Amino acid sequence: MSLTRLGKYLVSRDMLTSDEWAQSQTRAASNGKNIFRQLVDQGSLTTPEANAAFAYTQGWTYLALGDDLTIPPEVIEVFEDSFAREHNVLPVALEGGTLTVATRKPSDLNIEKVVRGAAEMPVNLVYSPTDELTRAVHRFYSTSAEAARKGGLAAKALASTTSVYEGIGTLPDQGEIVDTLNIIIEGALRAGASDIHLEPAEHHLSIRYSIDGRPRPEPLQPKAIAPRLASLIKTRAKMLSSELTNQDGAIRHHYNGVNYDIRVAVLPTAWGESITLRLGAEKVRKLDTIGFSTDTGEQWRRSLAQPNGILLAVGPMGSGKTSLNYSSLDHLMGQGRKIVSMEAPVEMKFSEGVSQVSINPKQGLTWEGTMETVLRSAASVLFVGEINREDVAHTAINAAMTGHLVLSTLHTNDAPGAVVRLREMGIRPSVLADSMRAVCAQRLPRLLCSCKVAATPSKEMIRDFHLTPEDLAANEWFGPSEDGCRECLGLGYKGRVPIHELMTFNKEIRDLITDDVPNRVIAAAARSNGMRTLQEDGLLKARAGITSLQEVRAHVLVD
């Protein structure tokens, strides 16, 4: 690259004066920055202007790949999905028998040869930066885009049969419908989604993936295929496929050599059946990879070593409570203890070491009846999937009082709140004091991607987290990159990191519970005995650059 050529380009277009160009070169050399980065950082150029200037210095044509970019389907179909993703190239136009293709290095003869061979026609290569290319290729060649194409074909196939078949559940399975569902599920698995939401609207079927706790819209599907997708899912889940009623079930999906157990919830709505597919984790995580702060992890493991009592993971739906309990059961498996779990339904299957029972009253498997049998099976560790009713609460507490170590989940905002919730379910304070061993509240803020940038906390964050001038000076704070990168697909975050609030029950706290004191007194005692709150643990991880203050703020209550 010629700096003289770049300077002439910028000055001739009145983007910089000669003096400003000279000063920018000096600053770039002093800061050790690429000249283009320096020009953007100092506000002399926008990112698109810098990209265009870079392309000019290389003798290339620059093409911006914004979110408003549209490409005709016949152009996209020139390349196979796998080819476009592997080589990170995007066909954008076809005119006069020549295909225009965006790539990060148009002068690379090997890229030109490969692209021309795949297109089987003359090609014109233009420049687009890697990050823009990655996002655009993901958009036009993702499994979601493929699902949208399959959905369109399925709608056409169904349109040709509507004069013969009528009604929900009467149409024969079409290959395109099966392909569409498989691609939607496999796209979610590849994206690391925890849930798939199929939501019919007046004129279309909305598909959303929950990724890192946030719903991400996928391409819309034709409304015509919604009943057939619903019927196919319900058939696979062994539900009543011809009835419009709320139902729960599960399906098994085999992908890349792995069997995935997917929970299904069907809910009739004004525009059709809304369906949620809960994918869960592929396998149980080891306890030491959960993401505990060192001292919190040690306290939780000490609690697991207790011979009896109850340990609770608490928090809202989707905060990782069941995953924490599964990791804890995996940890206990190495101690030679007989473990039985009772869930409604079983969310993830252990290959060995845990006897898992799926509670199903329709089959005579109730909480009370199953617990009676379990207590006679000489199990030492029990996992009760969720304490959500009084009978389940009494079942779990009774097991803890009869010499068993019981793990379970409960919906409360914080760890001390578990005591209040169990009191409300009719558990006497003296029984609580005798049976409680630990309560761990958890949240899952998003993890900053490696492309994170330095970010000074805003006035709102300083106020909400009570940051002092010393706090601000002693730490380098980080936030998400505005444009993201290839790894995070422009989001600035990739993955999630847990924050915890662990309350253990020493003699002082047990006495307070027996005395039936207000919850704030118990919480204050827990704090004085070393309990770190969710806000404090989140702040520690924000200080370390693991997550951002904004993410912590979005997941915890601030007084």
Side-chain angles (χ1 to χ4, degrees):
M1 179 189 72
S2 169
L3 289 179
T4 301
R5 179 179 171 85
L6 174 60
K8 289 180 178 178
Y9 171 88
L10 298 173
V11 172
S12 67
R13 286 163 175 75
D14 294 326
M15 302 173 84
L16 290 178
T17 65
S18 298
D19 288 343
E20 289 170 338
W21 166 242
Q23 292 168 4
S24 298
Q25 291 183 83
T26 301
R27 291 195 195 100
S30 174
N31 297 332
K33 289 184 178 180
N34 172 289
I35 184 62
F36 296 99
R37 173 50 55 193
Q38 177 63 45
L39 291 169
V40 171
D41 288 349
Q42 71 187 29
S44 299
L45 299 182
T46 64
T47 297
E49 289 171 341
N51 288 331
F54 172 70
Y56 175 82
T57 65
Q58 304 298 315
W60 302 335
T61 299
Y62 168 59
L63 178 66
L65 303 177
D67 292 338
D68 58 346
L69 176 69
T70 58
I71 303 174
E74 60 271 18
V75 175
I76 289 296
E77 291 168 3
V78 172
F79 290 156
E80 294 288 337
D81 295 48
S82 57
F83 176 84
R85 288 195 293 263
E86 177 184 354
H87 296 281
N88 210 30
V89 293
L90 183 71
V92 292
L94 179 59
E95 296 179 0
T98 297
L99 182 70
T100 298
V101 179
T103 176
R104 67 181 182 83
K105 198 172 182 181
S107 58
D108 190 318
L109 296 180
N110 288 328
I111 291 178
E112 181 180 4
K113 180 180 178 180
V114 170
V115 169
R116 187 172 62 248
E120 297 182 341
M121 66 179 74
V123 296
N124 172 40
L125 301 185
V126 297
Y127 168 72
S128 295
T130 302
D131 291 348
E132 288 186 19
L133 262 175
T134 300
R135 288 195 293 271
V137 169
H138 177 77
R139 173 184 163 198
F140 288 101
Y141 287 104
S142 67
T143 49
S144 303
E146 186 181 359
R149 291 196 292 273
K150 285 290 185 182
L153 293 174
K156 291 179 182 178
L158 291 173
S160 67
T161 62
T162 52
S163 61
V164 179
Y165 301 100
E166 295 180 357
I168 295 174
T170 61
L171 286 168
D173 279 340
Q174 302 290 334
E176 291 84 2
I177 288 287
V178 175
D179 289 345
T180 301
L181 176 59
N182 290 341
I183 291 167
I184 289 171
I185 292 174
E186 290 161 13
L189 292 171
R190 280 206 286 268
S194 59
D195 304 274
I196 305 171
H197 304 279
L198 292 84
E199 301 163 326
E202 183 177 6
H203 301 297
H204 61 261
L205 174 64
S206 170
I207 308 291
R208 296 194 295 169
Y209 292 165
S210 287
I211 299 176
D212 297 336
R214 302 293 178 93
R216 186 185 76 183
E218 298 297 304
L220 300 176
Q221 291 283 355
K223 179 65 180 291
I225 72 170
R228 288 303 302 134
L229 274 177
S231 179
L232 177 59
I233 291 170
K234 290 191 292 183
T235 299
R236 287 187 178 183
K238 296 181 173 57
M239 297 177 180
L240 299 173
S241 61
S242 60
E243 292 191 10
L244 292 174
T245 183
N246 55 300
Q247 301 182 68
D248 296 288
I251 62 177
R252 172 163 283 201
H253 188 84
H254 186 80
Y255 175 63
N256 272 359
V258 178
N259 286 318
Y260 293 87
D261 292 308
I262 302 172
R263 294 174 61 182
V264 181
V266 178
L267 185 67
T269 69
W271 299 113
E273 292 174 291
S274 175
I275 300 177
T276 299
L277 306 178
R278 302 208 68 186
L279 305 178
E282 179 182 343
K283 59 183 180 180
V284 177
R285 296 180 61 180
K286 293 297 181 181
L287 190 60
D288 58 5
T289 67
I290 282 291
F292 280 120
S293 298
T294 302
D295 54 344
T296 305
E298 290 174 352
Q299 291 179 56
W300 183 252
R301 280 187 286 273
R302 284 200 299 272
S303 299
L304 289 172
Q306 297 284 10
N308 56 56
I310 188 164
L311 282 73
L312 295 175
V314 304
M317 183 176 292
S319 59
K321 301 184 298 296
T322 300
S323 294
L324 172 57
N325 274 319
Y326 271 47
S327 296
S328 300
L329 294 176
D330 177 77
H331 176 76
L332 290 167
M333 282 167 56
Q335 300 179 7
R337 304 167 82 170
K338 180 175 175 61
I339 304 172
V340 176
S341 83
M342 295 177 292
E343 305 170 64
V346 171
E347 292 200 22
M348 191 188 319
K349 294 178 181 177
F350 285 91
S351 59
E352 59 180 352
V354 180
S355 299
Q356 296 176 275
V357 181
S358 185
I359 299 298
N360 188 337
K362 293 180 181 179
Q363 297 178 353
L365 290 171
T366 62
W367 289 105
E368 299 87 343
T370 302
M371 180 61 80
E372 289 180 7
T373 303
V374 167
L375 294 180
R376 292 194 296 267
S377 68
S380 58
V381 178
L382 306 180
F383 172 48
V384 177
E386 180 182 353
I387 297 177
N388 55 6
R389 302 194 313 269
E390 286 190 11
D391 58 336
V392 180
H394 285 277
T395 295
I397 293 294
N398 287 339
M401 292 291 291
T402 54
H404 299 80
L405 185 68
V406 180
L407 280 67
S408 190
T409 67
L410 188 68
H411 289 294
T412 66
N413 284 325
D414 56 17
V419 175
V420 175
R421 186 60 50 84
L422 290 172
R423 283 173 178 166
E424 293 171 347
M425 290 183 174
I427 308 299
R428 297 196 310 274
S430 60
V431 174
L432 279 177
D434 285 345
S435 59
M436 300 297 290
R437 299 292 178 263
V439 180
C440 185
Q442 179 170 288
R443 300 291 189 277
L444 291 173
R446 290 181 294 174
L447 185 69
L448 282 170
C449 180
S450 57
C451 65
K452 63 187 177 184
V453 296
T456 302
S458 66
K459 291 181 179 178
E460 291 78 8
M461 294 299 107
I462 293 172
R463 178 197 64 209
D464 289 346
F465 289 97
H466 310 292
L467 300 179
T468 65
E470 291 75 17
D471 291 327
L472 299 175
N475 292 275
E476 184 176 8
W477 301 88
F478 291 91
S481 169
E482 182 177 350
D483 298 322
C485 69
R486 182 171 185 171
E487 284 298 312
C488 62
L489 298 176
L491 298 176
Y493 295 95
K494 185 175 176 62
R496 291 194 282 179
V497 58
I499 56 177
H500 298 101
E501 176 179 290
L502 179 59
M503 177 180 173
T504 55
F505 292 74
N506 59 17
K507 186 177 185 305
E508 178 188 357
I509 292 178
R510 293 198 302 270
D511 289 343
L512 290 172
I513 293 173
T514 302
D515 293 340
D516 204 13
V517 301
N519 189 52
R520 56 182 173 77
V521 178
I522 296 173
R527 292 285 304 278
S528 65
N529 280 281
M531 182 185 79
R532 184 185 301 118
T533 66
L534 285 166
Q535 181 173 329
E536 290 167 342
D537 197 44
L539 188 56
L540 279 179
K541 289 174 180 174
R543 289 180 194 274
I546 297 172
T547 187
S548 67
L549 288 173
Q550 291 87 342
E551 272 298 294
V552 176
R553 180 65 183 83
H555 285 80
V556 302
L557 296 173
V558 174
D559 294 329

